[in-house]
Amino acid sequence: MDLFKVLTIDETRKLIDDKFSKIMGSETVSILECTGRILYNNIKSKENVPDFRRSTVDGYAVYSRDVFGASETIPSMLDYKGEVLMGQEVQEEINFPGECFYVPTGGMLPKGADSVVMIEYTDKLDDNIILASKPSAPLENVIDIGEDIKVDEVVIKKGTKLRAYEIGVLSSLGYSVVEVYKKPVIGIISTGDEIVDCDDEKKIGQIRDINTYLLYSLIIESGCIPIKFGLIKDDYNMLKNTFKDALSKCDMVLMSGGSSVGKKDHTVNVINSIGEILVHGISVKPGKPTIIGKAENKIVFGLPGHPLACAVIFKSIVKNYIDKIMEYSDISYPVESKFEINYHKAKGREEYLPVTLHMINGEMISKPVFGKSGLITGFSKAWGYVRIDRNEEGLKEGQKVSVNKF
């Protein structure tokens, strides 16, 4: 048996960058359907927001100089000229010193007014005279024209994942449709004589398919479209035909299982029959026997059969490529915690250690989830994982670590 010629995670990502230049095209969708989509172009404002001076409080629109020095003992006397109605353009204006208009929150200021005195600091002497007991500086209690967004300002940058907040901004700027990256279509092939579907009757020696459903959900979470190509037995011709079908329909293919070097592991031979193997072995735990290939100018991932290893490789390698072809920079914010115990690992291999999180005496504590290679408890119980660098020999009790969510 030949030993793997392994690459580090960083080396693997660089190799993928060097070998694949694909960028997804675009499509135009309604802003009601673009939540979670990646923006294809910069969004520039077509107008000032707001495009008129508006009040942030209920009060009286004034020329600030007319209330300079106003106090409770010596209030400024203002000539009341009327009320500004919400949603209407104000035709009136302040023409003479001391004039004022009542304006509600969000209302438009009349011409000549540059500030608003809050209604709490005013009294009505009669129907025509308002007493202001507090001064108001220029633009106090006012949102100026373009203060939020200016014409031609880039409001949302290309490559942004659109959330409810960005969609609200789009609607405020008059965008009812937006150009986004097309969703990559990703094929899933699971292999193995011992694998049966989750709703099939299981015999002794068989295990139910986990990775198809795990990958299907991860693909959706990543903003892509998954296609299942079924469970394929350890048969070379059957796997090759299914692989060719997946290549014709998808932007990339994920093959789960068959990435080791056993006699029945046909993944390498099938990929080589149509394309080439670029990577067979990554210096990471779990996930060392990962395969990366190129066929018909498309990337192919041969993922380990162990669900935890499969998830780790998806998060660290596959997701990185998905983000690249949609020109999206995914920024994650890990949870900082203290590691609970001393933990030793083999030097020279990057490790993704599954952990649980607990709050103890006001401190966040991370605890490793131990399990043998073939068990799924580490995958099912873990909140996230701690990445341990290849040059580190482990973690010490009480050491501060960053926990990334699965």
Side-chain angles (χ1 to χ4, degrees), residues 222-345:
S222 302
C224 306
I225 300 172
I227 298 181
K228 293 194 304 176
F229 286 86
L231 289 170
I232 309 302
K233 299 301 181 182
D234 290 320
D235 180 280
Y236 174 82
N237 290 324
M238 188 182 300
L239 182 59
K240 182 176 179 179
N241 290 335
T242 305
F243 179 50
K244 290 172 70 175
D245 185 32
L247 282 173
S248 69
K249 297 174 179 176
C250 303
D251 296 297
M252 71 184 82
V253 179
L254 309 183
M255 303 174 73
S256 170
S259 62
S260 296
V261 289
K263 292 181 180 179
K264 287 191 173 184
D265 293 331
H266 298 300
T267 301
V268 169
N269 293 333
V270 165
I271 295 173
N272 272 329
S273 70
I274 301 174
E276 61 176 324
I277 297 294
L278 303 175
V279 178
H280 193 183
I282 300 176
S283 182
V284 61
K285 178 184 177 183
K288 181 181 178 183
T290 298
I291 296 169
I292 299 173
K294 186 175 185 178
E296 297 182 4
N297 211 32
K298 297 177 181 179
I299 195 167
V300 184
F301 294 93
L303 304 176
H306 180 220
L308 179 58
C310 182
V312 165
I313 296 302
F314 186 95
K315 286 285 189 178
S316 59
I317 302 294
V318 181
K319 179 64 165 56
N320 190 72
Y321 179 72
I322 291 172
D323 291 344
K324 174 195 169 186
I325 64 177
M326 291 195 286
E327 299 185 300
Y328 169 60
S329 296
D330 189 8
I331 302 174
S332 60
Y333 299 95
V335 174
E336 300 300 318
S337 67
K338 285 187 176 181
F339 202 66
E340 186 180 56
I341 63 172
N342 290 320
Y343 177 77
H344 176 75
K345 67 171 271 292

Side-chain angles (χ1 to χ4, degrees), residues 89-367:
E89 183 179 0
V90 181
Q91 301 299 328
E92 298 85 356
E93 58 183 282
I94 291 177
N95 292 310
F96 299 99
E99 290 183 342
C100 72
F101 287 83
Y102 174 78
V103 58
T105 301
M108 181 177 179
L109 268 66
K111 291 181 180 179
D114 67 353
S115 66
V116 178
V117 179
M118 291 179 66
I119 197 167
E120 290 88 340
Y121 302 114
T122 64
D123 289 294
K124 219 171 185 182
L125 188 61
D126 56 37
D127 290 343
N128 298 312
I129 301 298
I130 302 296
L131 301 178
S133 59
K134 187 177 180 181
S136 182
L139 297 182
E140 185 172 346
N141 300 320
V142 173
I143 298 178
D144 204 3
I145 295 172
E147 185 173 328
D148 192 2
I149 302 170
K150 290 181 172 56
V151 172
D152 289 331
E153 178 183 344
V154 174
V155 183
I156 310 175
K157 292 183 178 180
K158 172 182 179 176
T160 298
K161 179 177 283 189
L162 297 172
R163 308 168 299 169
Y165 317 106
E166 284 84 16
I167 292 166
V169 171
L170 288 169
S171 67
S172 76
L173 297 175
Y175 286 90
S176 61
V177 296
V178 66
E179 195 173 7
V180 296
Y181 283 92
K182 288 182 178 180
K183 293 184 176 183
V185 178
I186 303 179
I188 306 169
I189 303 172
S190 288
T191 67
D193 289 337
E194 77 283 11
I195 309 295
V196 296
D197 207 350
C198 63
D199 55 1
D200 289 344
E201 183 178 349
K202 182 171 69 70
K203 299 177 182 179
I204 298 296
Q206 294 180 324
I207 57 174
R208 289 196 175 91
D209 184 18
I210 297 173
N211 285 0
T212 293
Y213 299 93
L214 166 67
L215 291 171
Y216 197 97
S217 297
L218 287 170
I219 289 167
I220 291 175
E221 283 182 5
S222 302
C224 306
I225 300 172
I227 298 181
K228 293 194 304 176
F229 286 86
L231 289 170
I232 309 302
K233 299 301 181 182
D234 290 320
D235 180 280
Y236 174 82
N237 290 324
M238 188 182 300
L239 182 59
K240 182 176 179 179
N241 290 335
T242 305
F243 179 50
K244 290 172 70 175
D245 185 32
L247 282 173
S248 69
K249 297 174 179 176
C250 303
D251 296 297
M252 71 184 82
V253 179
L254 309 183
M255 303 174 73
S256 170
S259 62
S260 296
V261 289
K263 292 181 180 179
K264 287 191 173 184
D265 293 331
H266 298 300
T267 301
V268 169
N269 293 333
V270 165
I271 295 173
N272 272 329
S273 70
I274 301 174
E276 61 176 324
I277 297 294
L278 303 175
V279 178
H280 193 183
I282 300 176
S283 182
V284 61
K285 178 184 177 183
K288 181 181 178 183
T290 298
I291 296 169
I292 299 173
K294 186 175 185 178
E296 297 182 4
N297 211 32
K298 297 177 181 179
I299 195 167
V300 184
F301 294 93
L303 304 176
H306 180 220
L308 179 58
C310 182
V312 165
I313 296 302
F314 186 95
K315 286 285 189 178
S316 59
I317 302 294
V318 181
K319 179 64 165 56
N320 190 72
Y321 179 72
I322 291 172
D323 291 344
K324 174 195 169 186
I325 64 177
M326 291 195 286
E327 299 185 300
Y328 169 60
S329 296
D330 189 8
I331 302 174
S332 60
Y333 299 95
V335 174
E336 300 300 318
S337 67
K338 285 187 176 181
F339 202 66
E340 186 180 56
I341 63 172
N342 290 320
Y343 177 77
H344 176 75
K345 67 171 271 292
K347 194 173 181 180
R349 184 167 62 171
E350 192 169 313
E351 182 167 346
Y352 289 72
L353 180 66
V355 298
T356 57
L357 286 176
H358 308 277
M359 186 67 76
I360 301 176
N361 297 326
E363 285 191 314
M364 190 66 73
I365 305 297
S366 51
K367 179 180 180 180

